Every structure is written in C-alpha cells, then in structure tokens.
Amino acid sequence: MSDLETDSKTHEINAAKASPWPEDMRDQIWGDRLLLRFKMKKEMKVYRAFLEEVVKDDAASKNIVTNNDDETNVAIQDAIPILHHFCTTQLSPHELGQIFQLQRSGLTEILKSKYKITSAYAIVFCAVVEQLSNFNHTGYGVDAPPCCNSGVDDEEELFETVLNYSSRGQGFNLVVAENIIEEDCEEEWKVNQETLGIFLKRMISLAGPTLLARAAKAADDDDNNDDSSNDGAENGDGQTNSSNNKPSFRSDRRVARLMIARYWADRLIEKYRSMQGQGVDNQSST
C-alpha cells in the first residue's frame, strides 16, 4: 500500500525514518497511518451515492434547476442548492447548529470504534487532536495545500479556516447559526449562509476523486506520482524543517479535519433521510 493520498509523500517517509521512535513502533504507526487512509478512501463512494440520490430524487420536487441531462452521469455539485434549501427551510437555525458540534474525545473514539485502530498510532492521533484544538496558538499556517484554481478547488482550505474549537461544551464546531440581538428586540437565531455554503462545498469534495486535495503541479510527475517537490505549503510555512525532516503531523491534522467533516456530513445525511422519510409517510397516509 503506497498511496498516501497526500502531495508530500517523500517528506512523510523521510520524516518517519528520522523519528526517535523505536523501529517496530515506527513501522506500526506508519502502517496504521496508511490503513486509516485506505479505509477512508474506500468510503468516498458512500458520499457520492448520497449526493447522487439527492440530485436524482429531490431536485425536481424542490423546483431546483440542475444540469443533469444524462442520468448516468450525475453532477453531484447540484446537490449544494438542494441541501442548502433543506438546511434553511426544514431545520431551524438551532437544530442546524447542533449538527455541527463534535467533542475532542469523539475523534479518538471514531478512530478506535469505526476504524479499529488502537495501536501506537492512536496515541499519536490523540496528540494530533490536541494540536488541532489549539491550532490557533501553534503559529502554523494553513495546512491545506495551495490550489491550482483559486476559488475553485479550495474546499479543504475554506473548511479549515471556518473550523472552530471551544472548550466550553461545543468542542469542534462550525458557526452555522448566529444569535442576532438587536436593541429592544428579542434574540433571534439566523443561519450563517457563508459558513453553511463552505461546509456544503466541502461535503461535495468528500466524494473524491482524491481523499486529500493536492497542490498545483508545476512540472510533470515522476513515475511514482510524487509531487512533494511542488508542495509549497509543506515547506516554508514554519511547520517543518526540511534539513532534518522533523515531522509536523501536517497530513495527520488534515486527516483529522477530514474525519470531522465526514462526521458532520453523516449527521446531516441521517437528518435529511429521516425527514425525507417522514415526508413520504405523511403523503402516503393522506
């Protein structure tokens, strides 16, 4: 298994070799790191299937124009306005906000219970989650790689910039609902359209084609498809030291954020299917 699903393959390998861990532990960590990404990559089809289902079954009923002339080739990006319509009309701002919360311990539990990884890498992952929860204090730059088309393929970067962490109950969260308090008025919750749009755009990217976004390529790849030399985000942002290959766990943080996005996508999918099922039941009973 050689596909790391990252544009920093060579750096990751060299950093692992230079780590202070015993060789057997290092091999175990490396193997489970690959195993996690392999398992997560196999799940991409689940999100594509859901997005295709949304576009095929619900776009017409909601009078949303799509670009799907060929039913065998569904444009899954057309699910964005459909899901946006669902989130803003079928859910209250408070209900929507409750979806986008995840305790820090929940991430490590997902690693152990869903992906069955409880080895030394689980300890590393705990440290990564701790780093992620304090990311604003690390001085690191954005982990997501620079995109080849600014504003087009920036789903991961945008999600990273709006992801928050609060130690006061919410844990990791997105501010998709805001409490608007005006003078002489009662409080009112409103949907943050921009943040919701960013998440839905990130949700589309969960369907692939790659697990993690890759940086723009300035030159042709070699036979091993290693474009680490073009990864500007890995070098020069203070996260790594290219001279001694000290690990920054940058790719592990990216995987952890991906895990958060998937958890929230799963909750939204569950809510969507549940409420769509209720709608069908109500129609059949009338």
Side-chain angles (χ1 to χ4, degrees), residues 27-43:
D27 291 344
Q28 185 182 56
I29 291 172
W30 185 254
D32 282 339
R33 177 181 281 122
L34 293 179
L35 180 61
L36 173 61
R37 297 183 198 183
F38 176 74
K39 288 183 175 181
M40 294 183 74
K41 187 174 182 180
K42 290 178 64 178
E43 294 171 339

Side-chain angles (χ1 to χ4, degrees), residues 2-285:
S2 60
D3 185 5
L4 301 182
E5 280 300 327
T6 178
D7 45 8
S8 308
K9 180 174 66 176
T10 299
H11 178 84
E12 285 195 76
I13 293 174
N14 292 338
K17 290 180 179 178
S19 70
W21 300 314
E23 185 174 356
D24 57 341
M25 181 181 293
R26 184 174 64 211
D27 291 344
Q28 185 182 56
I29 291 172
W30 185 254
D32 282 339
R33 177 181 281 122
L34 293 179
L35 180 61
L36 173 61
R37 297 183 198 183
F38 176 74
K39 288 183 175 181
M40 294 183 74
K41 187 174 182 180
K42 290 178 64 178
E43 294 171 339
M44 291 192 297
K45 60 185 179 182
V46 174
Y47 298 99
R48 172 166 289 277
F50 169 74
L51 295 168
E52 290 180 350
E53 170 192 326
V54 168
V55 175
K56 288 180 179 179
D57 297 342
D58 299 299
S61 65
K62 294 181 179 178
N63 297 318
I64 297 176
V65 178
T66 66
N67 301 317
N68 298 300
D69 297 327
D70 183 359
E71 292 186 358
T72 63
N73 187 22
V74 178
I76 59 174
Q77 65 269 19
D78 288 339
I80 292 179
I82 301 170
L83 291 173
H84 187 280
H85 180 78
F86 167 77
C87 290
T88 54
T89 63
Q90 302 300 309
L91 301 176
S92 69
H94 179 68
E95 289 175 320
L96 188 61
Q98 287 185 317
I99 291 176
F100 297 101
Q101 298 179 21
L102 175 61
Q103 295 299 317
R104 187 168 60 181
S105 59
L107 269 180
T108 52
E109 181 60 31
I110 290 172
L111 182 75
K112 295 176 181 178
S113 61
K114 182 176 183 179
Y115 297 107
K116 311 301 181 183
I117 295 178
T118 58
S119 64
Y121 181 67
I123 300 175
V124 172
F125 191 80
C126 286
V128 169
V129 173
E130 174 71 21
Q131 192 180 62
L132 199 62
S133 64
N134 294 281
F135 192 71
N136 291 337
H137 305 293
T138 63
Y140 291 163
V142 176
D143 284 333
C147 299
C148 52
N149 296 309
S150 179
V152 177
D153 300 317
D154 55 357
E155 299 91 349
E156 182 182 351
E157 180 178 352
L158 288 173
F159 179 75
E160 181 177 340
T161 58
V162 297
L163 179 63
N164 301 309
Y165 179 79
S166 172
S167 59
R168 299 181 178 179
Q170 290 182 320
F172 293 105
N173 66 89
L174 292 182
V175 183
V176 294
E178 298 177 301
N179 190 1
I180 308 299
I181 302 178
E182 298 181 358
E183 188 175 356
D184 298 328
C185 296
E186 295 183 358
E187 65 177 26
E188 180 181 1
W189 287 87
K190 292 186 177 180
V191 174
N192 186 320
Q193 304 287 344
E194 181 180 4
T195 301
L196 176 59
I198 288 173
F199 175 76
L200 293 178
K201 189 177 179 181
R202 181 65 173 126
M203 190 170 175
I204 299 297
S205 70
L206 299 182
T210 60
L211 188 66
L212 298 173
R214 300 191 176 189
K217 301 179 183 179
D220 292 337
D221 294 337
D222 59 22
D223 292 338
N224 293 322
N225 193 32
D226 177 13
D227 52 341
S228 59
S229 61
N230 300 316
D231 183 7
E234 185 72 18
N235 300 304
D237 63 359
Q239 298 188 53
T240 59
N241 187 327
S242 59
S243 61
N244 56 19
N245 290 311
K246 290 182 179 179
S248 70
F249 303 109
R250 170 178 174 244
S251 64
D252 290 313
R253 290 195 300 270
R254 293 178 65 195
V255 169
R257 290 191 190 93
L258 174 62
M259 199 177 288
I260 294 172
R262 285 188 171 193
Y263 175 79
W264 288 336
D266 292 343
R267 295 191 68 185
L268 183 57
I269 290 171
E270 181 181 3
K271 178 69 72 172
Y272 179 88
R273 285 178 168 160
S274 173
M275 297 193 72
Q276 291 301 102
Q278 290 177 10
V280 172
D281 292 340
N282 290 337
Q283 291 180 2
S284 62
S285 62

